[in-house]
Amino acid sequence: MATFFNSSSLLLAFCFITTTQLIALSSAGGFTLDLIHRDSPKSPFYNPSATKTDRFTNAVRRSFTRASRFRKQTVISPNDDFQSDIIPGNGEYLMNISIGTPPVQVVAIADTGSDLTWTQCQPCRHCYKQDAPIFDPKKSSTYRALPCNSRACDSLFFPSTCEKNLCPYTLRYDDNSYSEGELAVETFTFGSSSGGSLSAPEMVFGCGFENGGTFEEAASGIIGLGHGPLSIVTQYRKAKFSYCLVAEENETSKINFGEHAVVSGEGVVSTPMVKEDDTSSYVLRLESIKVGNTSVANDKTKIPSGKGPNYPIDIIIDTGTTLTILPPDFYQAMEKELVKAINKKTTPDPTKWLSLCYSDVNIDDVPTLTFQFTGIELELPSSNTFVRTGDNLICLAIVPDTLPPIFGNLSQRNFLIGYDLENNQISFKPTDCGKQ
């Protein structure tokens, strides 16, 4: 879920962070938590009766729902080193953290497309049903609602009426999901996958009293991992995080923050992020895609705003979307070269969601696709681009659509991917994530 802020109102998140918090976080240096796949038996979303085909079909549906949210999400307000448990949620991963004193566990969707972290709160005037108890700020000794003249409140987008000098926020998403409540600070506790925990006082978050839409019962809200001033990444001040997504659903992935998030060594390639003032998402510039040794690029004649013979596209890198989504003309040119290279009869996808499928081709035998981002070539293993959707059927996990282009989580598997907000770049390192 992308969240948009006015760049002129953005301020450095460490302005919100107390000296106590900085000491606690700095002394930790870095921290690591587990990421659990949505369909893993360890996940609260796990459905033992679902087949592998069922699970993939549901993930495809969620991809399109998720992608639609990047169209025009907004935040409305009065004046918008650690690792953590992440579980693919309704788009795609959940994060287990604890909020308050005494700590109350919250399971929320970890979202690289959002800034503001929020959870459902009592008294709930209107909330969607959730499995876990709803957080009650009155029972926490460290909860503090923020006033309208606070710097955090000023960083939100669109002025509106401030009541009782408390900073209200409203989040609305393109699929009609929403969260409304008050901006506050609270102690967050992150538990390490290797034992121990990190306490972070005075973290800015949204306490949601009215929430609804497509949120699922197993999740209690959103953990904002975007690059804006209110995301937990920026509030941590050591503005680096990385993750490594495993290929197998029953294995555990990792997400790292701070010093643990550094991506270095042999095989690392880095590309700059595209700075877009109105989005919290992370955006890369895709110049072309190589099918085997044949390069395919956007044709400027198909794009009214084309600026050259091979017009690059800005593409969101997102853990919350399963599929990779490309503009239709760009996709068709790539698919044409792929069909030519495979040189086998195609098979219609019985679900009608995917465009290119084969019933008599092994995944290992299809050509590799190399995504050419600014300054780098990222060669994807064929297992990152084709998936087995049923008996003897494989399909390309890349689709054409007029939705915003997205580099989805299937394409990201078995890469250690590091986000460096200070140097404005994303790094990729081929890695066996199952051994992390």
Side-chain angles (χ1 to χ4, degrees):
M1 301 174 191
T3 305
F4 292 84
F5 291 88
N6 187 334
S7 63
S8 64
S9 67
L10 297 184
L11 52 133
L12 295 177
F14 58 76
C15 291
F16 313 145
I17 304 177
T18 65
T19 302
T20 301
Q21 182 182 359
L22 290 177
I23 292 173
L25 295 176
S26 297
S27 63
F31 212 65
T32 301
L33 300 177
D34 293 337
L35 296 174
I36 310 299
H37 193 277
R38 170 192 182 95
D39 294 319
S40 164
K42 299 178 182 179
S43 165
F45 291 109
Y46 179 64
N47 178 2
S49 65
T51 66
K52 190 167 185 176
T53 300
D54 292 337
R55 291 193 292 269
F56 181 75
T57 300
N58 290 335
V60 170
R61 291 194 184 100
R62 289 193 302 272
S63 284
F64 287 101
T65 300
R66 164 79 175 182
S68 70
R69 290 174 174 163
F70 285 102
R71 280 177 168 158
K72 58 178 182 181
Q73 298 91 337
T74 58
V75 178
I76 305 172
S77 85
N79 299 308
D80 183 28
D81 298 318
F82 61 81
Q83 288 187 2
S84 171
D85 290 88
I86 290 187
I87 308 160
N90 182 4
E92 298 304 347
Y93 290 89
L94 296 182
M95 192 177 211
N96 290 327
I97 64 172
S98 294
I99 297 178
T101 308
V104 175
Q105 185 172 345
V106 170
V107 182
I109 298 169
D111 191 357
T112 53
S114 292
D115 279 346
L116 183 63
T117 293
W118 63 267
T119 189
Q120 297 202 111
C121 288
Q122 299 285 11
C124 234
R125 294 189 288 266
H126 181 274
C127 287
Y128 63 89
K129 183 180 178 182
Q130 72 175 52
D131 294 337
I134 295 175
F135 177 69
D136 188 348
K138 292 182 179 179
K139 294 182 179 180
S140 173
S141 63
T142 48
Y143 180 88
R144 178 168 60 88
L146 290 173
C148 294
N149 61 356
S150 64
R151 290 175 174 174
C153 196
D154 286 342
S155 74
L156 293 174
F157 195 38
F158 295 132
S160 63
T161 303
C162 183
E163 298 180 0
K164 300 179 182 179
N165 196 32
L166 296 178
C167 178
Y169 77 89
T170 299
L171 289 163
R172 297 203 180 278
Y173 303 104
D174 198 41
D175 66 347
N176 296 319
S177 297
Y178 64 91
S179 175
E180 298 178 7
E182 65 185 18
L183 209 61
V185 293
E186 183 55 284
T187 296
F188 281 31
T189 303
F190 303 91
S192 171
S193 58
S194 58
S197 62
L198 171 71
S199 179
E202 299 280 313
M203 295 291 283
V204 179
F205 81 112
C207 205
F209 304 123
E210 297 191 33
N211 318 283
T214 61
F215 302 113
E216 297 181 86
E217 296 178 9
S220 308
I222 295 291
I223 300 294
L225 297 174
H227 59 66
L230 297 185
S231 83
I232 64 169
V233 179
T234 313
Q235 289 192 63
Y236 181 41
R237 202 171 117 165
K238 294 183 179 180
K240 294 181 176 66
F241 73 100
S242 65
Y243 54 76
C244 205
L245 304 180
V246 298
E248 298 299 324
E249 296 167 356
N250 59 350
E251 295 181 353
T252 301
S253 300
K254 303 287 184 182
I255 184 168
N256 314 279
F257 292 80
E259 293 176 6
H260 288 195
V262 175
V263 178
S264 60
E266 185 178 355
V268 174
V269 293
S270 301
T271 184
M273 289 185 277
V274 178
K275 292 185 176 180
E276 296 189 354
D277 293 337
D278 61 347
T279 178
S280 301
S281 302
Y282 298 98
V283 181
L284 304 178
R285 182 144 293 161
L286 178 61
E287 297 178 347
S288 63
I289 296 176
K290 288 171 62 176
V291 180
N293 295 319
T294 302
S295 184
V296 177
N298 242 351
D299 184 349
K300 75 158 189 173
T301 62
K302 303 290 183 66
I303 304 173
S305 59
K307 299 176 183 177
N310 294 327
Y311 181 54
I313 63 171
D314 291 346
I315 187 167
I316 297 165
I317 177 170
D318 183 45
T319 59
T321 306
T322 299
L323 301 178
T324 289
I325 298 174
L326 295 176
D329 290 326
F330 193 2
Y331 172 87
Q332 294 300 335
M334 180 204 66
E335 184 189 271
K336 181 179 178 180
E337 290 299 326
L338 195 52
V339 169
K340 184 190 303 183
I342 295 174
N343 195 28
K344 297 282 187 178
K345 183 179 179 180
T346 61
T347 302
D349 175 22
T351 69
K352 300 182 179 180
W353 286 102
L354 303 178
S355 299
L356 182 62
C357 298
Y358 293 91
S359 59
D360 60 348
V361 175
N362 293 322
I363 289 180
D364 293 339
D365 294 334
V366 302
T368 58
L369 299 181
T370 302
F371 279 62
Q372 297 178 294
F373 299 110
T374 302
I376 68 169
E377 291 191 348
L378 188 68
E379 183 177 346
L380 303 184
S382 54
S383 58
N384 283 32
T385 55
F386 276 83
V387 292
R388 188 165 299 283
T389 61
D391 294 338
N392 301 319
L393 185 67
I394 65 169
C395 293
L396 181 64
I398 302 174
V399 295
D401 207 286
T402 56
L403 293 166
I406 294 175
F407 189 66
N409 62 51
L410 286 180
S411 295
Q412 300 175 47
R413 294 181 303 184
N414 281 329
F415 284 97
L416 178 60
I417 303 177
Y419 294 68
D420 185 341
L421 278 62
E422 294 174 336
N423 295 307
N424 194 50
Q425 67 179 17
I426 294 180
S427 299
F428 299 84
K429 181 179 182 179
T431 304
D432 184 348
C433 294
K435 295 181 179 180
Q436 288 290 293

